[in-house]
């Protein structure tokens, strides 16, 4: 297993380098002059040619492309993503807290989503075709197809304004987590519980279940076995849910004024804050690679055949 | 089995309810009678007053200028009085003696000199403000007297010194290596409020400056809460977590007219609107010779196909009055007798016929020498009202054989098109009350602003000459006459086609008194407001 972890870990390094290069290239392909972008982002009322020339020199845009890339990559490895075009502050000083805020939201949401997916998936599988199965699937279909902003607005109106139970926005206290976490968890659980459910259903017809029942094993024990086997399929899906949620909180963060990566990325994109966009894309890409690696490792730990395949 | 599931669900629900219950005290932060919590779509950003990233309203309560621009004219602020030399080149300011920065540092002539020189050392960024190109030196005469020497007479000097930035004063203790252009390490101004807490992208707290030379403000705490989504802002206002909102930096209301009316109808809020602050308009590129927009008759025809009254009533629900001139009459020097031209499709058709643009039988678009009367109109894709207006204008234009192709883009792309001249028509707005008319008119000659708009007209040279003359004119009557000429030329050439006048909107608690406005759409006099 140790060998597998090392090998799988090393394989992700070239992937990250390729992603970093693509990120840098894509941003540099933008038709806009970075110097002009900086000045627009800083809200300078009148952008003159002299000012553009001065800013280009300050940014070091006159150096060759590859030199700039290697300079940027080596700096990134030391968590130095450059300075924001808008505020002039180091990108990490802005990205760090936003990442931490989104990560907190993601973590709680993922835990809630996993719990909800397992509970609903198992319940629906055990009552396959029954009233509860059909109602859960119907409700989940309705909730997942409803736009997040609408669901958020309705929940804020009901729980915050009408019942006065929760804050409408912000992240100053624990109750601030309830509504955004519920929306994210419900949204994703509506998709992921189906995986648990179908996996459970296919397990229901496995020989070991029949054998267990024939041997007179208590139903509770058989269910536990089935859940354990079904979750093997779901583990990698759940692992990948972390970066997916991490990168898709824009609407929820916007609605709940959550100062996270989503809000930061929208702001950066609208103001063409390239160093911020580069860092955001890189951080997300790295987290995708990282969680993909972790998911493979977990799978390998549970299933020795995977280890041999690498 | 079923009972077990019921138990699990009950436990989850009870936990959620308990968690929710914990927040009761935290969230119930209903405003105290001495606090205003205002909704802001963006963070206050870097509060360095000598650059342009910070929020105008926030900087407006922390920093002050030497003089204040009011409806009645210039009034003393940090300068008690001033004299202007006969040749208009030397301004002597006598400073208040009882003023201190928030960090305790005395405000004096030395601080003024340091601030103005720091601004001047970053002159390239302040090219838009013509005063920055005219200041030769700033001299300390004595502790409370300072002299500003200009290279030539420049009448808007006092006006530009009164702007929210850059000629405002920050404690020299916060300079980095004697400069402000590379950032500052604190935000102590002399204003009525001090910035005491700032959580990026969450909120900023400003507390009353009890030692303020003008008397401590009655509202003791101002909080700017970042709320990017209009729906959340509305619900937060309903709940009372936020109790004040106003038009943002771009002149856009953060919640729509219906939502504002709902809040007012609920009984807790009032809506207060300022006098016109700017003019929303379509800018026509007169210098684009390969486009029909190059012709005066075509621009005038477009002027006539815009139904301003309908736009005002239907799209803005009466909140923005129709505009018939580039500047509203309350703008200084703009109360000029110009021919009122409104929605008149027949007049538009006549103009086009006379100019040789004919509509062949069975054709939808007019032609002249084989060219189609077709133009592209750019609008800000983030503004829902601009898109609706564009569609309405497109429909009216089509009826008389003008083809308008609509294109929604980011405001930065539109600014770039304006600067490079790559457009036929685009939506824009004037700089706003304090900056109008002089800054908007100065931008007629700037290649990064409206040079492409104006340089194609027949009287362009005459226009530019008058613009140069007006800023150096020391005689009030000469200035009035020059401004009237300038406005008449652009009006007749129809290069700036007015649509409506925008104003600042405030939604505030019913109990809030003395809600007022400044001569600028970017800041508010919070220090004068108080609760009943």
């Amino acid at each position: 297993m140790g060998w597998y972890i090392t090998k799988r870990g090393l394989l992700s390094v070239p992937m990250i380098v390729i992603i970093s290069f693509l990120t840098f290239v894509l941003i540099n392909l933008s038709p806009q002059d970075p110097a002009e972008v900086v000045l627009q982002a800083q809200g300078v009322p009148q952008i003159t040619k002299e000012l553009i020339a001065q800013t280009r020199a300050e940014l070091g845009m006159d150096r060759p492309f590859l030199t700039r890339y290697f300079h940027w990559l080596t700096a990134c490895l030391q968590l130095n993503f450059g300075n924001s075009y808008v505020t002039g502050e180091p990108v990490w000083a802005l990205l760090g807290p936003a990442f931490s805020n989104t990560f907190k939201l993601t973590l709680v949401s993922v835990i809630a989503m996993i719990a909800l997916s397992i509970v609903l998936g198992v319940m629906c599988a055990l009552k396959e075709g029954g009233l509860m199965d059909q109602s859960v699937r119907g409700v989940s279909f309705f909730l997942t197809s409803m736009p997040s902003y609408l669901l958020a607005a309705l929940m804020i109106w009901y729980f915050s304004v009408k019942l006065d139970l929760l804050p409408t926005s912000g992240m100053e206290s624990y109750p601030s987590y309830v509504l955004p976490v519920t929306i994210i968890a419900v949204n994703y659980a509506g998709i992921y519980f189906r995986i648990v459910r179908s996996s459970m259903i296919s397990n229901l017809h496995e020989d070991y279940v029949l054998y267990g029942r024939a041997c007179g094993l208590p139903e509770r024990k058989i269910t536990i076995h089935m859940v354990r086997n079904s979750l093997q399929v779901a583990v990698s899906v759940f692992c990948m849910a972390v970066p997916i949620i991490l990168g898709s909180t824009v609407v929820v963060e916007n609605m709940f004024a959550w100062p996270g990566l989503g809000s930061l990325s929208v702001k950066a994109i609208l103001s063409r804050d390239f160093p911020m966009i580069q860092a955001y894309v890189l951080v997300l890409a790295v987290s995708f690679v990282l969680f993909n690696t972790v998911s493979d490792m977990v799978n390998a730990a549970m299933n020795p055949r995977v280890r041999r395949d690498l | 089995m079923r009972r077990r599931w019921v138990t699990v669900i009950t436990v989850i629900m009870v936990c959620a309810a308990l968690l929710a219950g914990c927040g009761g005290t935290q969230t119930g932060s209903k405003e105290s009678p001495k606090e205003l919590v205002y909704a802001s779509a963006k963070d206050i950003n870097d509060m360095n007053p000598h650059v342009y990233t910070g929020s105008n309203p926030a900087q407006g309560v922390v920093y002050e200028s030497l003089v204040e621009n009011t409806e009645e004219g210039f009034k003393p602020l940090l300068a008690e009085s001033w004299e202007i030399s006969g040749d208009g080149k030397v301004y002597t300011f006598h400073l208040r003696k009882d003023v201190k920065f928030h960090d305790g540092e005395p405000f004096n002539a030395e601080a003024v000199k340091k601030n103005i020189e720091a601004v001047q050392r970053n002159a390239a960024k302040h090219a838009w403000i013509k005063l920055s190109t005219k200041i030769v030196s700033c001299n300390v005469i004595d502790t409370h007297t300072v002299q500003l020497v200009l290279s030539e007479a420049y009448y808007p000097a006092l006006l530009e010194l009164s702007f929210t930035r850059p000629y405002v004063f920050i404690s020299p203790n916060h300079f980095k290596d004697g400069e402000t252009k590379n950032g500052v390490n604190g935000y102590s101004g002399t204003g009525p409020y001090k910035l005491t807490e700032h959580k990026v992208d969450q909120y900023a707290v400003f507390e009353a400056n009890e030692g303020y030379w003008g008397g401590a403000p009655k509202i003791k705490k101002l909080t700017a809460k970042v709320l990017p989504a209009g729906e959340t802002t509305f619900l937060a206002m309903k709940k009372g977590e936020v109790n004040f909102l106003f038009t943002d930096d771009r002149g856009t209301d953060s919640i729509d007219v219906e939502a504002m009316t709902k809040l007012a109808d609920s009984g807790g809020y009032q809506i207060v609107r300022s006098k016109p602050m700017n003019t929303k308009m379509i800018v026509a590129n007169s210098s684009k010779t390969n486009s029909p927009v190059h012709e005066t008759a075509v621009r005038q025809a477009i002027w006539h196909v815009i139904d301003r009254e309908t736009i005002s009533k239907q799209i803005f629900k009466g909140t923005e009055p129709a505009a018939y001139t580039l500047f509203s009459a309350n703008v200084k020097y703009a109360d000029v007798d110009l021919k009122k031209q409104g929605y008149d499709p027949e007049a538009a058709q006549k103009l086009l016929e006379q100019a040789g643009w004919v509509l062949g039988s069975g054709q939808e678009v007019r032609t002249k020498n084989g060219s189609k009367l077709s133009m592209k109109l750019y609008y800000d894709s983030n503004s829902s009202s601009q898109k609706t207006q564009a569609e309405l204008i497109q429909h009216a234009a089509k009826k008389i054989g003008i083809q308008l192709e609509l294109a929604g883009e980011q405001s930065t792309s539109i600014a770039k098109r304006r600067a490079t001249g790559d457009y036929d028509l685009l939506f824009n707005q004037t700089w706003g009350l304090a900056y109008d008319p002089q800054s908007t008119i100065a931008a007629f000659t700037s290649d990064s602003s409206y040079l492409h708009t104006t340089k194609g007209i027949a009287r362009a040279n005459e226009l530019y000459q008058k613009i140069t003359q007006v800023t150096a004119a020391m005689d009030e009557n000469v200035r009035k006459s020059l401004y009237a000429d300038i406005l008449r030329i652009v009006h007749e050439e129809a290069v700036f086609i007015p649509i409506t006048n925008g104003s600042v909107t405030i939604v505030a608690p019913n109990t809030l008194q003395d809600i007022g406005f400044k001569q600028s759409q970017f800041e508010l006099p919070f220090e004068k407001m108080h609760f009943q």
Side-chain angles (χ1 to χ4, degrees):
Chain A
M1 185 65 196
W3 173 235
Y4 177 85
I5 291 175
T6 319
K7 220 169 155 186
R8 186 64 192 82
L10 284 175
L11 267 179
S12 56
V13 175
M15 185 69 88
I16 290 173
V17 174
I18 292 168
I19 289 169
S20 75
F21 185 73
L22 287 177
T23 311
F24 196 78
V25 170
L26 284 176
I27 297 286
N28 277 272
L29 281 179
S30 164
Q32 275 195 295
D33 182 347
E36 225 178 301
V37 171
V38 171
L39 295 165
Q40 276 169 0
Q42 290 176 349
V44 176
Q46 197 165 308
I47 300 166
T48 56
K49 284 177 187 137
E50 299 74 46
L51 197 52
I52 292 175
Q54 182 190 317
T55 314
R56 278 185 72 82
E58 278 169 17
L59 289 173
M61 295 308 296
D62 33 8
R63 288 177 300 166
F65 175 78
L66 280 179
T67 315
R68 279 187 286 134
Y69 169 67
F70 282 113
H71 179 77
W72 174 73
L73 188 65
T74 37
C76 283
L77 290 173
Q78 298 156 45
L79 289 186
N80 172 11
F81 296 100
N83 293 339
S84 157
Y85 281 178
V86 180
T87 63
E89 282 178 79
V91 166
W92 186 247
L94 301 164
L95 196 74
F99 180 81
S100 148
N101 292 341
T102 299
F103 193 72
K104 283 181 207 162
L105 181 66
T106 304
L107 201 68
V108 182
S109 303
V110 166
I111 292 170
M113 183 272 285
I114 292 175
L116 208 58
S117 300
I118 295 174
V119 169
L120 291 177
V122 172
M123 277 167 65
C124 288
L126 293 175
K127 305 282 175 199
E128 188 194 352
L131 182 66
M132 197 199 70
D133 182 27
Q134 284 182 11
S135 346
V136 168
R137 282 195 288 157
V139 170
S140 78
F141 178 74
F142 175 72
L143 289 177
T144 47
S145 54
M146 193 189 243
S148 301
Y149 71 87
L150 185 61
L151 191 60
L154 287 174
M155 289 184 82
I156 297 173
W157 170 75
Y158 189 73
F159 291 102
S160 304
V161 181
K162 209 165 165 62
L163 300 182
D164 198 15
L165 281 175
L166 299 161
T168 57
S169 55
M171 59 161 294
E172 287 112 76
S173 57
Y174 288 121
S176 317
Y177 281 74
V178 177
L179 290 181
V181 162
T182 309
I183 287 163
I184 297 173
V186 162
N187 215 305
Y188 285 91
I191 303 165
Y192 290 136
F193 94 95
R194 287 162 202 274
I195 297 165
V196 180
R197 178 183 172 277
S198 59
S199 177
M200 273 289 284
I201 289 170
S202 62
N203 267 284
L204 271 171
H205 308 293
E206 289 283 331
D207 290 345
Y208 74 90
V209 177
L210 193 67
Y211 181 74
R213 284 197 178 125
C215 292
L217 271 178
E219 201 58 33
R220 190 171 57 88
K221 275 199 170 176
I222 296 174
T223 310
I224 289 171
H225 273 288
M226 280 197 298
V227 171
R228 197 182 295 153
N229 289 340
S230 311
L231 286 186
Q232 279 193 14
V233 181
V235 162
S236 53
V237 179
F238 287 147
C239 274
M240 287 313 289
V242 178
I244 289 172
I245 295 178
L246 203 61
S248 60
T249 51
V250 180
V251 176
V252 170
E253 284 187 4
N254 227 34
M255 284 300 287
F256 288 97
W258 194 274
L261 278 185
S263 317
L264 193 76
S265 62
V266 170
K267 213 164 70 174
I269 291 164
L270 288 179
S271 55
R272 311 265 203 291
D273 193 349
F274 290 161
M276 188 66 85
I277 301 171
Q278 278 173 331
Y280 169 74
V281 174
L282 195 65
V283 165
L284 266 194
V286 169
S287 62
F288 263 89
V289 173
L290 204 70
F291 278 93
N292 200 9
T293 312
V294 170
S295 123
D296 280 358
M297 287 174 180
V298 173
N299 262 337
M302 291 194 304
N303 190 349
R305 272 177 298 178
V306 176
R307 271 177 262 168
R308 284 198 298 273
D309 288 345
L310 189 76
Chain B
M1 195 60 152
R2 181 177 292 171
R3 195 176 296 161
R4 194 166 299 139
W5 286 124
V6 170
T7 316
V8 169
I9 292 168
T10 313
V11 167
I12 292 172
M13 286 175 74
V14 168
C15 287
L18 280 175
L19 199 55
C22 294
T25 50
Q26 174 70 28
T27 58
S29 56
K30 297 262 161 66
E31 76 280 1
S32 75
K34 287 181 190 276
E35 182 180 356
L36 276 185
V37 184
Y38 72 82
S40 171
K42 289 182 285 184
D43 187 58
I44 61 163
N45 272 327
D46 179 10
M47 287 281 285
N48 179 353
H50 296 166
V51 292
Y52 297 93
T53 47
S55 143
N56 270 294
Q59 287 183 335
V61 296
V62 172
Y63 305 107
E64 289 176 302
S65 45
L66 290 172
V67 293
E68 187 184 9
N69 179 22
T70 72
E71 233 172 317
E72 296 86 41
F74 293 105
K75 286 191 175 168
L77 204 63
L78 288 176
E80 273 177 332
S81 61
W82 57 89
E83 293 116 35
I84 306 169
S85 66
D87 61 359
K89 288 184 182 176
V90 182
Y91 285 68
T92 308
F93 294 96
H94 303 282
L95 308 177
R96 285 187 190 278
K97 297 181 180 69
D98 51 348
V99 182
K100 280 191 173 165
F101 286 103
H102 299 156
D103 63 351
E105 178 81 8
F107 170 78
N108 52 30
E110 199 54 49
V112 171
K113 181 180 164 69
K114 281 181 182 163
N115 271 268
I116 289 185
E117 286 181 349
V119 171
Q120 290 307 108
R121 282 193 291 270
N122 198 14
K125 276 203 176 140
H126 309 300
W128 69 280
I129 191 164
K130 291 286 166 254
L131 181 62
S132 69
T133 61
K134 318 248 179 223
I135 293 177
V136 175
S137 64
C138 179
N139 310 315
V140 173
I141 305 300
D142 63 44
T143 318
H144 294 103
T145 313
V146 72
Q147 207 172 56
L148 208 57
V149 182
L150 309 185
S151 57
E152 58 180 323
Y154 182 64
Y155 99 83
L158 283 181
L159 186 71
E160 295 185 358
L161 284 173
S162 74
F163 291 169
T164 324
R165 52 200 183 191
Y167 295 109
V168 292
F169 305 95
I170 179 169
S171 167
N173 291 337
H174 298 316
F175 285 28
K176 277 187 188 169
D177 305 322
E179 301 288 356
T180 52
K181 62 181 177 185
N182 301 321
V184 291
N185 52 28
Y187 304 110
S188 301
T190 57
Y193 288 92
K194 305 172 180 183
L195 175 66
T196 52
E197 198 185 348
H198 179 203
K199 280 210 162 185
V200 178
D201 283 338
Q202 294 187 59
Y203 60 86
V205 179
F206 303 88
E207 280 176 24
N209 174 8
E210 294 300 330
Y212 182 54
W213 59 267
K218 286 181 181 144
I219 293 179
K220 298 298 174 196
K221 196 173 166 189
L222 281 179
T223 303
K225 190 167 179 185
V226 182
L227 290 169
E231 293 87 345
T232 318
T233 308
F234 170 69
L235 293 167
M237 288 282 285
K238 266 199 92 97
K239 196 183 171 195
E241 284 178 2
V242 171
N243 61 358
F244 192 93
L245 66 84
F246 54 96
T247 313
D248 74 7
D249 290 0
R250 288 190 307 128
T252 317
D253 294 329
S254 52
I255 62 172
D256 57 30
V257 182
E258 280 89 358
M260 282 187 198
T261 318
K262 266 187 201 167
L263 285 172
D265 290 348
S266 70
Y269 290 103
Q270 55 181 317
I271 301 173
V272 188
R273 283 185 204 283
S274 71
K275 285 182 181 171
M277 284 277 181
N278 60 47
T279 306
K280 313 263 179 81
M281 59 186 174
I282 287 179
V283 174
N285 187 353
S286 70
S287 64
K288 198 170 180 187
T289 46
N290 58 353
S291 162
V293 77
H294 177 58
E295 281 184 43
T296 309
V298 172
R299 297 193 298 265
Q300 286 172 337
I302 293 168
W303 187 304
H304 283 303
V305 296
I306 299 176
D307 187 354
R308 294 161 184 81
E309 298 295 338
T310 301
I311 289 175
S312 166
K313 281 183 198 135
Q314 302 296 325
I315 300 176
F316 292 108
K317 314 284 177 203
T319 57
E320 291 197 7
Y324 295 91
T325 49
L326 175 58
F327 300 112
S328 56
N330 62 322
V331 170
K332 201 170 181 190
Y333 304 117
D335 195 5
V336 177
D337 185 25
L338 299 171
K339 191 182 165 197
K340 187 177 171 180
Q341 302 178 117
Y343 177 56
D344 191 348
E346 277 177 25
Q349 290 191 62
K350 210 169 155 188
L351 278 165
L352 293 173
E353 297 284 347
Q354 281 168 359
W357 290 99
V358 287
L359 192 62
S361 63
Q363 285 184 325
E364 283 196 340
V365 184
R366 286 174 188 271
T367 52
K368 180 178 167 181
N369 305 329
S371 304
K372 275 188 167 182
L373 184 50
S374 173
M375 286 157 285
K376 216 164 177 180
L377 170 60
Y378 295 92
Y379 64 89
D380 183 345
S381 53
N382 288 324
S383 162
S384 57
S385 71
Q386 276 187 20
K387 187 169 186 273
T388 321
Q389 289 174 72
E391 284 164 352
L392 189 85
I393 297 166
Q394 182 190 41
H395 183 68
K398 195 183 170 187
K399 280 188 187 166
I400 62 156
I402 304 175
Q403 188 178 51
L404 287 183
E405 203 183 316
L406 308 185
E409 288 185 359
Q410 292 287 331
S411 54
T412 45
S413 307
I414 290 180
K416 191 170 182 193
R417 286 190 183 279
R418 198 184 61 180
T420 55
D422 182 19
Y423 67 97
D424 297 321
L425 300 157
L426 52 83
F427 277 88
N428 239 232
Q429 67 178 54
T430 62
W431 285 49
L433 198 54
Y435 306 86
D436 289 340
Q438 73 291 330
S439 295
T440 301
I441 285 179
F444 291 0
T445 61
S446 158
D447 57 2
S448 58
S449 279
Y450 294 124
L451 185 67
H452 297 281
T453 316
T454 56
K455 77 175 176 191
I457 62 173
R459 295 161 71 188
N461 288 336
E462 184 192 341
L463 177 75
Y464 300 151
Q465 235 169 32
K466 286 182 189 289
I467 292 171
T468 313
Q469 286 167 4
V470 77
T471 53
M474 293 306 289
D475 185 281
E476 183 72 3
N477 287 326
V478 174
R479 276 205 294 264
K480 271 186 188 167
S481 152
L482 283 166
Y483 272 127
D485 290 347
I486 292 166
L487 294 178
R488 198 159 287 122
I489 294 172
V490 292
H491 186 80
E492 284 164 7
E493 286 289 348
V495 275
F496 299 100
I497 305 170
I499 306 175
T500 55
N501 286 129
S503 55
V504 176
T505 313
I506 290 176
V507 181
N510 275 338
T511 48
L512 194 68
Q513 304 286 301
D514 288 338
I515 298 172
F517 299 90
K518 289 193 173 186
Q519 289 293 94
S520 152
Q521 61 188 338
F522 302 116
E523 46 178 319
L524 289 173
F526 285 107
E527 67 280 7
K528 291 182 183 150
M529 301 178 198
H530 59 92
F531 283 96
Q532 210 166 31

